[in-house]
Amino acid sequence: MRWRIVLEYDGTGFVGWQWQPEGRTIQGVVEQALAKFLGHESRVTVSGRTDAGVHAEGQVASFDAVPDREPFEVRNALNALLPHDVACVRAERAPADFDPRGWSWGKVYRYRYLDRSARSALLRTRAWHVRSLDDRAMHAAAACLAGAHDFTSFRSAGCLANHPNRVMESFSVTRDGDVVTLEARGQGFLRHMVRIIAGTLAEVGHGKRPPEWVADVLAARDRTLAGQTAPPHGLTLVSVDIRDAPPPWSSREPMVDG
Amino acid sequence: MRWRIVLEYDGTGFVGWQWQPEGRTIQGVVEQALAKFLGHESRVTVSGRTDAGVHAEGQVASFDAVPDREPFEVRNALNALLPHDVACVRAERAPADFDPRGWSWGKVYRYRYLDRSARSALLRTRAWHVRSLDDRAMHAAAACLAGAHDFTSFRSAGCLANHPNRVMESFSVTRDGDVVTLEARGQGFLRHMVRIIAGTLAEVGHGKRPPEWVADVLAARDRTLAGQTAPPHGLTLVSVDIRDAPPPWSSREPMVDG
């Protein structure tokens, strides 16, 4: 029996999703909790690995186990066995061939900046501290990102995806007081794509570049023209759109994104 | 020269505001940072002490120091010397007789519940985890709290205030997804007042009591009739309304509230 779980985590205390011989990983603590619960080892598969410091509200993962438990029992057992910075939001039985990577129809990422002079105590692990962002210029600059594009300029050197074409369903920049938030909805993302876009839009927000520059960077297909990769702690994987079948374009592509 | 500072803190790692011989306190770390910066000890006075686990976005405090620094230098020095879970949002020169307790014209507190089956990793230190809250019933029940009242029913046994009468300027209950938020604006608060109200409204939210019950509890002036004191980590002191003179009703009252 295959199970699907939705995980929330605070990435601050982790070196990333993927199991490593040294360092605390989300995969590691989830597999540890599962082993205690099930009485045997079980490998966890994920919709996309997240890097050290990146948070998730709705990461989707799967594992195989005997079907003798109710979904709420699986969820409650995981919440009792997982450390405080990882929670199982939901558990459910999945089709036998369910694959959280291949069956993802889309993802929503959020990137948060804190725009003020003084650093923050409450958002220290949740937002990138910057000063004087023009969020309207950023929103205008980001309009070019919506749609199907070759995102080579916003792809890290280590990206293993087969091709750089992605569909960005929507992209917005909004402000609530000192907090400026990017929201990216797309069918898929390249490695570090949202963080490179966040670093690039920050240059527009700071007035170092005009809004039109972002369209030029996108068209150039050259990573060296874009801005820095924004720090990981501003990024949250909000949700993964999982349906009862893989999407027509599925190719089991990028394992690491955001 | 008297200085006024606005402080933000994550209360999770503190045993409260007030200095204690054992345990990490906000007053303790602020006075430590000031001593390093000024080269001499300086006592910090606050608009109202907060309890262990309670957060602040806009706590107001004051201290005396020689006036040879610019406000931004004081703010930046404190942010360099304070631990990560306390930040100085603003520093400014204040009148010589400024008193953050006596000159407070009002405060805003926020109390957050997380209403869902599974616990949360990201809100674990910021919201009280409960299940199945009827936020509309809570909002209706809370209508009786606005205005001038004797809040004896919502006052902890250890409250040192001279009298139990307070003016609640507004009180609202709103929902955003799984998060239900109380916002209380008042000229002043009794000890544990917001947390006892939060615990009482939770009983209405859970359907254990009808909305009208809260008005009965208020009228009875009897703490034993109200609900439990809700846990501290859901509470945040959002702001203190400081003006250039004390309010007409000031009596240097309650040192500990929320």
Side-chain angles (χ1 to χ4, degrees):
Chain A
M1 163 64 69
R2 186 150 295 179
W3 288 83
R4 173 158 66 212
I5 51 176
V6 178
L7 295 172
E8 179 187 345
Y9 46 84
D10 175 348
T12 312
F14 293 96
V15 299
W17 167 272
Q18 194 182 14
W19 189 88
Q20 294 180 24
E22 303 278 325
R24 195 167 169 260
T25 67
I26 300 131
Q27 183 183 10
V29 301
V30 173
E31 291 184 351
Q32 225 166 30
L34 276 175
K36 273 189 210 165
F37 173 51
L38 302 170
H40 60 81
E41 308 253 303
S42 188
R43 173 58 70 84
V44 173
T45 308
V46 74
S47 80
R49 295 171 193 154
T50 49
D51 286 313
V54 174
H55 314 294
E57 292 179 1
Q59 173 69 283
V60 173
S62 72
F63 63 92
D64 291 329
V66 287
D68 65 344
R69 300 287 177 166
E70 289 302 313
F72 78 90
E73 291 178 306
V74 173
R75 184 197 69 207
N76 291 352
L78 283 174
N79 284 328
L81 294 166
L82 284 166
H84 290 305
D85 46 1
V86 183
C88 175
V89 179
R90 200 163 59 245
E92 53 201 6
R93 296 191 177 95
D97 55 342
F98 170 65
D99 164 39
R101 183 155 41 111
W103 290 33
S104 163
W105 288 64
K107 288 181 180 177
V108 179
Y109 277 99
R110 184 198 300 132
Y111 196 90
R112 288 204 294 192
Y113 311 83
L114 176 72
D115 175 12
R116 71 178 197 195
S117 299
R119 65 175 174 79
S120 168
L122 286 163
L123 292 175
R124 69 193 186 280
T125 60
R126 309 281 168 91
W128 183 22
H129 180 207
V130 294
R131 289 170 185 82
S132 306
L133 283 184
D134 179 345
D135 54 289
R136 290 184 185 192
M138 293 165 72
H139 187 75
C144 68
L145 300 172
H149 299 286
D150 177 335
F151 284 97
T152 295
S153 297
F154 304 107
R155 173 187 193 178
S156 82
C159 183
L160 298 171
N162 296 332
H163 65 84
N165 302 312
R166 291 293 181 273
V167 175
M168 184 79 83
E169 286 157 353
S170 70
F171 196 99
S172 65
V173 182
T174 53
R175 177 185 286 274
D176 180 12
D178 290 338
V179 176
V180 174
T181 302
L182 309 185
E183 192 185 82
R185 289 176 180 266
Q187 290 176 1
F189 292 86
L190 300 165
R191 183 160 200 204
H192 291 172
M193 182 167 148
V194 180
R195 290 168 56 194
I196 298 170
I197 293 173
T200 303
L201 290 176
E203 298 204 16
V204 174
H206 289 134
K208 290 183 202 162
R209 302 281 192 168
E212 312 81 68
W213 170 70
V214 176
D216 295 343
V217 172
L218 177 67
R221 301 174 198 181
D222 180 351
R223 168 70 186 91
T224 66
L225 298 181
Q228 66 167 299
T229 305
H233 66 281
L235 187 67
T236 301
L237 171 57
V238 177
S239 58
V240 183
D241 180 9
I242 292 288
R243 304 190 192 170
D244 284 338
W249 63 81
S250 173
S251 62
R252 294 189 46 90
E253 279 228 286
M255 272 301 280
V256 184
D257 54 30
Chain B
M1 163 64 69
R2 185 150 298 181
W3 289 83
R4 173 159 65 213
I5 50 176
V6 178
L7 297 173
E8 179 188 344
Y9 46 85
D10 176 348
T12 313
F14 293 97
V15 300
W17 168 272
Q18 194 183 12
W19 189 88
Q20 294 180 24
E22 303 278 325
R24 195 166 169 260
T25 68
I26 300 133
Q27 183 182 12
V29 300
V30 173
E31 292 184 351
Q32 226 167 28
L34 276 175
K36 274 190 207 165
F37 174 50
L38 302 170
H40 60 80
E41 308 253 303
S42 189
R43 172 60 69 85
V44 173
T45 308
V46 74
S47 80
R49 295 171 195 154
T50 48
D51 287 311
V54 174
H55 315 294
E57 292 180 1
Q59 173 68 284
V60 173
S62 72
F63 63 92
D64 292 330
V66 287
D68 64 344
R69 299 287 177 166
E70 288 303 311
F72 78 90
E73 293 178 306
V74 173
R75 184 198 68 206
N76 291 353
L78 283 175
N79 283 329
L81 295 165
L82 283 167
H84 290 304
D85 47 359
V86 184
C88 176
V89 180
R90 201 164 58 244
E92 53 201 4
R93 296 191 177 93
D97 55 343
F98 170 65
D99 165 39
R101 186 155 38 114
W103 290 33
S104 162
W105 289 64
K107 288 181 181 175
V108 179
Y109 277 99
R110 185 199 301 132
Y111 195 91
R112 288 205 292 191
Y113 311 82
L114 175 73
D115 176 11
R116 70 178 197 194
S117 299
R119 65 176 177 77
S120 169
L122 287 162
L123 292 174
R124 66 192 188 280
T125 61
R126 308 282 167 90
W128 182 22
H129 179 208
V130 293
R131 286 169 186 84
S132 307
L133 282 184
D134 179 345
D135 53 289
R136 292 184 183 191
M138 293 166 71
H139 187 75
C144 68
L145 300 172
H149 298 287
D150 176 335
F151 282 98
T152 295
S153 298
F154 304 106
R155 173 188 194 177
S156 83
C159 182
L160 298 170
N162 296 332
H163 65 84
N165 303 312
R166 290 293 181 275
V167 176
M168 184 78 81
E169 285 157 354
S170 70
F171 196 99
S172 64
V173 182
T174 52
R175 175 185 287 273
D176 180 10
D178 289 339
V179 176
V180 173
T181 302
L182 308 185
E183 192 186 80
R185 290 176 179 265
Q187 290 178 0
F189 292 86
L190 300 165
R191 181 157 202 208
H192 291 171
M193 183 166 144
V194 180
R195 289 168 56 195
I196 298 170
I197 292 173
T200 303
L201 289 176
E203 299 206 14
V204 173
H206 288 133
K208 290 184 201 162
R209 303 280 193 169
E212 312 82 68
W213 170 68
V214 176
D216 295 342
V217 171
L218 177 67
R221 302 175 197 179
D222 180 350
R223 168 69 185 92
T224 65
L225 298 181
Q228 66 166 302
T229 305
H233 65 281
L235 187 66
T236 301
L237 171 57
V238 176
S239 59
V240 183
D241 180 11
I242 292 289
R243 304 190 192 172
D244 285 339
W249 64 81
S250 175
S251 62
R252 294 189 46 86
E253 275 228 290
M255 274 298 280
V256 184
D257 54 31

